[in-house]
């Protein structure tokens, strides 16, 4: 039996424990609720609470000495779960579910006699505390129903951070009461570029002519974000909103043209690539950003905030009179210095509110503000560079974790580039072990959505490669998940959960061909 990610230690006792149609449970809180929900839905099992552990079929207890997210799952005459904290209890439940037939992940019906657990003692704890997945819901809007399903798939793999890329040139998905046009105007574009982005020199930045004429958009409501947060908390997952600034802001500029340093953005961008229409450099735009961040902090209580910082061209800052005046007043003569000024104000604002602040690795170029967590995407070497500079680091290197690149399978769908094979994803762990590795919090996979228009397509690109990322972040090793064969039984779980995972094998000739192109996100 394959448990994904692989537990740290596992002793088999021999024999089985059959769960009855009514399970007596002691403690467990949300973790017990998640177990009850799966077994009720798939096999009609009922759970009842009991007041003392000795009467329980499944009992939960906390022992903080085990450490964060750690758990011991002891299956013998009954099931005893001891965990370092409530998250650890949740992970114990996910392991327990994997010891049952794959159908527990589906809607059933199952034969209750199949609810047999192997008698076993598992002791387990994660290698890294940040095990994430990023969904880009800006380039193509993904409905909340799918995001909620994605949380379940994350939990199955013990992934504990959902990073939502909520804003970009092509769409704004975050409700902001102080600036309602961000979603009303910035949430909708008149069409989308069909096919691939033309090369940069043919790339008309204002791109009105080339789109398909089909309006695309959407945004989340405050109530939907509340539902998301409640479900994520129940599953032990932190949701991190990203508001990308000061570049990648064309949708916001379309909504409020005074935010920009040009006079001709009338709708969110319809093509891809890096827009030169960035925020004007001024106190007024900084105030806009801090207001948006304050509202995001209210909507995502306790969450770290991601403030973007990637791919911000400085051309407009060097020509726009107000931006130039700002640069003169702060003594900045280059775009890098100007961005460093902006990042300092923004990151400090989030830190002053007592939250973790995260930015893409471009902020290192101008000297990242102290206390900023760096998310490395460009070159894996920046992981050790950022750690050596005293920053905490999250590894998101494009080379291993940009799952919007195709998988090297024959007839693969249109994608931004590739191939990024399972075998290559399976090498992520090699770039995490760096000097000062205690500052490497972990890593995450990225699903940029220029070419991902639907939930089914998102699943196709995310799985099973996302499971390989999860495996490495939990256990530090690929554990055989660098080939489809290595997944064995686990693939049946993905099928039972109705996940449209990529079933084909790579075409080895194409997987050795093709340059990797990580740009234009
Ligand atoms: C990125 O891919 N621009 C973070």
């Amino acid at each position: 039996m394959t448990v994904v990610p692989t537990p740290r230690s596992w002793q088999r006792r021999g024999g089985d424990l059959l769960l009855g149609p009514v399970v007596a449970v002691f403690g467990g809180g949300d973790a017990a609720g998640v177990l009850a929900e799966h077994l009720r839905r798939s096999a009609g099992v009922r759970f009842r609470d009991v007041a003392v552990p000795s009467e329980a079929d499944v009992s939960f207890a906390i022992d903080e000495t085990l450490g964060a997210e750690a758990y011991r799952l002891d299956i013998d005459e009954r099931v005893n779960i001891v965990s370092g904290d409530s998250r650890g209890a949740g992970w114990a439940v996910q392991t327990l579910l994997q010891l049952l037939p794959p159908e527990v992940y589906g809607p059933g019906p199952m034969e209750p006699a199949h609810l047999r657990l192997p008698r076993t003692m598992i002791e387990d704890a994660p290698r890294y505390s940040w095990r994430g997945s990023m969904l880009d819901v800006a380039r193509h809007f993904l409905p909340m129903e799918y995001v909620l399903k994605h949380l379940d798939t994350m939990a199955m793999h013990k992934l504990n951070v959902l990073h939502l890329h909520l804003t970009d040139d092509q769409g704004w998905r975050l409700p902001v009461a102080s600036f309602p046009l961000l979603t009303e105007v910035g949430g909708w574009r008149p069409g989308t570029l069909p096919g691939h982005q033309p090369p940069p020199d043919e790339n008309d930045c204002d791109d009105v002519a080339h789109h398909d004429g089909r309006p695309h958009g959407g945004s989340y409501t405050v109530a939907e974000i509340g539902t998301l947060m409640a479900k994520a908390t129940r599953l032990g997952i932190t949701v991190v909103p990203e508001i990308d600034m000061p570049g990648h802001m064309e949708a916001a500029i379309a909504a409020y043209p005074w935010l920009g340093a040009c006079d001709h953005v009338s709708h969110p961008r319809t093509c891809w690539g890096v827009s030169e229409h960035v925020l004007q450099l001024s106190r007024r735009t900084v105030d806009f950003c801090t207001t948006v961040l304050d509202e995001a902090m209210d909507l995502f209580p306790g969450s770290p905030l991601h403030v973007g910082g990637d791919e911000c061209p400085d051309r407009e800052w060097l020509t726009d009179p107000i931006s130039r005046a700002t640069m003169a007043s702060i003594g900045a003569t280059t775009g890098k210095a100007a961005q460093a000024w902006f990042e300092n104000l923004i990151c400090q604002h989030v830190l002053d509110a007592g939250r973790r602040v995260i930015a893409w690795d471009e902020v290192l170029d101008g000297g990242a503000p102290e206390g900023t967590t760096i998310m490395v995407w460009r070159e894996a070497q920046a992981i050790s560079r950022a750690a050596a500079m005293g920053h905490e680091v999250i590894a998101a290197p494009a080379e291993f974790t940009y799952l919007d690149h195709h998988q090297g399978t024959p007839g693969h769908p249109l994608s931004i580039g590739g191939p990024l094979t399972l075998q290559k994803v399976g090498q992520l762990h090699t770039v995490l072990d760096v000097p000062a590795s205690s500052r490497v919090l972990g890593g995450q996979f990225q699903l940029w959505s220029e070419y991902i228009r639907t939930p089914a397509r998102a699943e196709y690109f995310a799985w099973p490669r996302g499971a390989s990322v999860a495996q490495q972040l939990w256990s530090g090793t690929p554990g055989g998940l660098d080939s489809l064969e290595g997944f064995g039984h686990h693939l049946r779980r993905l099928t039972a959960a109705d996940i449209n995972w990529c079933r084909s094998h790579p075409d080895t000739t194409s997987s050795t061909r093709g340059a990797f192109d990580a740009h234009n996100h």
Side-chain angles (χ1 to χ4, degrees), residues 349-408:
H349 183 81
V350 177
L351 290 171
D352 287 348
R355 301 290 183 96
R356 181 187 287 281
V357 64
I358 303 164
W360 295 109
D361 63 66
E362 280 89 337
V363 299
L364 289 173
D365 299 349
E370 200 181 321
T372 304
T373 302
I374 307 298
M375 188 169 277
V376 172
W377 72 279
R378 291 180 298 176
E379 285 154 5
Q381 296 93 304
I383 296 170
S384 51
R385 193 153 46 88
M389 290 163 78
H391 293 284
E392 293 195 301
V393 186
I394 298 157
E399 191 181 348
F400 305 98
T401 66
Y402 272 29
L403 301 191
D404 56 325
H405 288 74
H406 72 76
Q407 317 192 29

Side-chain angles (χ1 to χ4, degrees), residues 410-431:
H412 59 76
L414 187 73
S415 61
I416 195 158
L420 176 51
T421 60
L422 250 183
Q423 192 185 18
K424 179 77 181 183
V425 173
Q427 292 164 16
L428 169 66
H429 66 105
T430 62
V431 299

